[in-house]
Amino acid sequence: MKLFYKSGACSMAAHILLNEADVPFTLEKVDTDAGTTESGATYAQINPRGYVPALKFEDGAVLTENVAILTWLSEQFPQLGPQGETSALQKYRMLEALSFLTSELHKAFSPYFSGRTFTAEESARNLAVLKKKISQFETMLSDDGGYLLGQTFSVADAYAFVILNWANFIGVALTEWPRTTDYVNRIKARPATQRTLQEEGLAA
């Protein structure tokens, strides 16, 4: 497998999970602005929509879109998916969490990476929306130091970590949300996350 990624982007979720699964894979960095990969390939030939992630298999097939890739990873590597006797329902809890992450929380961060210049009023509105979505995420966490699907780390947690980690790049402190702060720190401390941060050039 080859993962096409951009440092710090949402493709980091799949990168973390491949490291968690400890399976062979290669990486190829993408310059999404230039539309090229580090080997000089035209990225549109891999993903016509031009953004990451993309996961290329040995037979040449390519899978795109985070929810699809993360769901595939959860099925190929069951330790990354729903656990326990209620796993049938938990599969849909996983999809529920992934849907919120991609359509709500991820989207709330999008203005900060759009390259646009906002008025003071627009900036205040963007921040209000972001805080609302982080607050909604906070309610998805329990007080017992677990993860989104219980006590076991899953694909949803990798994606959530990547999104919430963007707060560091836009100057929004997560201290207002104590459960979320503890959650992010817990995932960041995982060996696979640390390895991923190093491989993407983002380690402290």
Side-chain angles (χ1 to χ4, degrees), residues 42-185:
T42 300
Y43 187 58
Q45 294 179 350
I46 299 157
N47 181 1
R49 292 176 298 283
Y51 49 77
V52 293
L55 190 61
K56 187 173 183 178
F57 303 104
E58 298 301 323
D59 64 359
V62 175
L63 185 64
T64 64
E65 303 296 336
N66 245 332
V67 173
I69 291 172
L70 299 185
T71 301
W72 184 87
L73 288 170
S74 76
E75 293 178 353
Q76 294 300 307
F77 309 107
Q79 70 271 29
L80 302 177
Q83 305 293 314
E85 295 180 0
T86 59
S87 60
L89 179 59
Q90 283 291 78
K91 175 181 178 179
Y92 297 98
R93 293 297 186 200
M94 179 189 76
L95 292 173
E96 180 182 51
L98 290 175
S99 296
F100 170 78
L101 293 171
T102 194
S103 65
E104 300 294 335
L105 189 60
H106 187 154
K107 184 178 178 181
F109 277 92
S110 295
Y112 295 91
F113 301 108
S114 67
R116 287 185 53 199
T117 299
F118 295 97
T119 65
E121 182 179 352
E122 289 172 330
S123 295
R125 185 163 58 247
N126 291 339
L127 183 59
V129 169
L130 178 60
K131 287 189 170 187
K132 178 181 178 181
K133 298 306 176 184
I134 298 175
S135 294
Q136 290 174 349
F137 179 84
E138 177 93 345
T139 66
M140 296 166 65
L141 300 172
S142 63
D143 291 320
D144 60 4
Y147 296 99
L148 285 172
L149 301 181
Q151 293 301 310
T152 304
F153 176 85
S154 74
V155 297
D157 299 301
Y159 191 16
F161 167 79
V162 172
I163 297 170
L164 292 164
N165 192 52
W166 293 338
N168 292 318
F169 301 102
I170 64 172
V172 173
L174 293 177
T175 50
E176 185 175 335
W177 304 275
R179 289 199 297 271
T180 299
T181 298
D182 290 344
Y183 172 84
V184 168
N185 290 337

Side-chain angles (χ1 to χ4, degrees), residues 2-19 25-32 43 47 50-55 63-67 69-70 73 102 106 155 158-163 166 192 196-197 199-200 202:
K2 177 185 286 188
L3 176 67
F4 291 89
Y5 79 103
K6 182 176 181 178
S7 293
C10 59
S11 52
M12 185 190 286
H15 191 176
I16 291 171
L17 293 163
L18 288 167
N19 279 330
F25 70 97
T26 58
L27 294 166
E28 185 152 359
K29 194 171 185 177
V30 178
D31 183 335
T32 53
Y43 187 58
N47 181 1
Y51 49 77
V52 293
L55 190 61
L63 185 64
T64 64
E65 303 296 336
N66 245 332
V67 173
I69 291 172
L70 299 185
L73 288 170
T102 194
H106 187 154
V155 297
Y159 191 16
F161 167 79
V162 172
I163 297 170
W166 293 338
T196 301
L197 290 168
E199 291 172 344
E200 296 200 6
L202 297 173

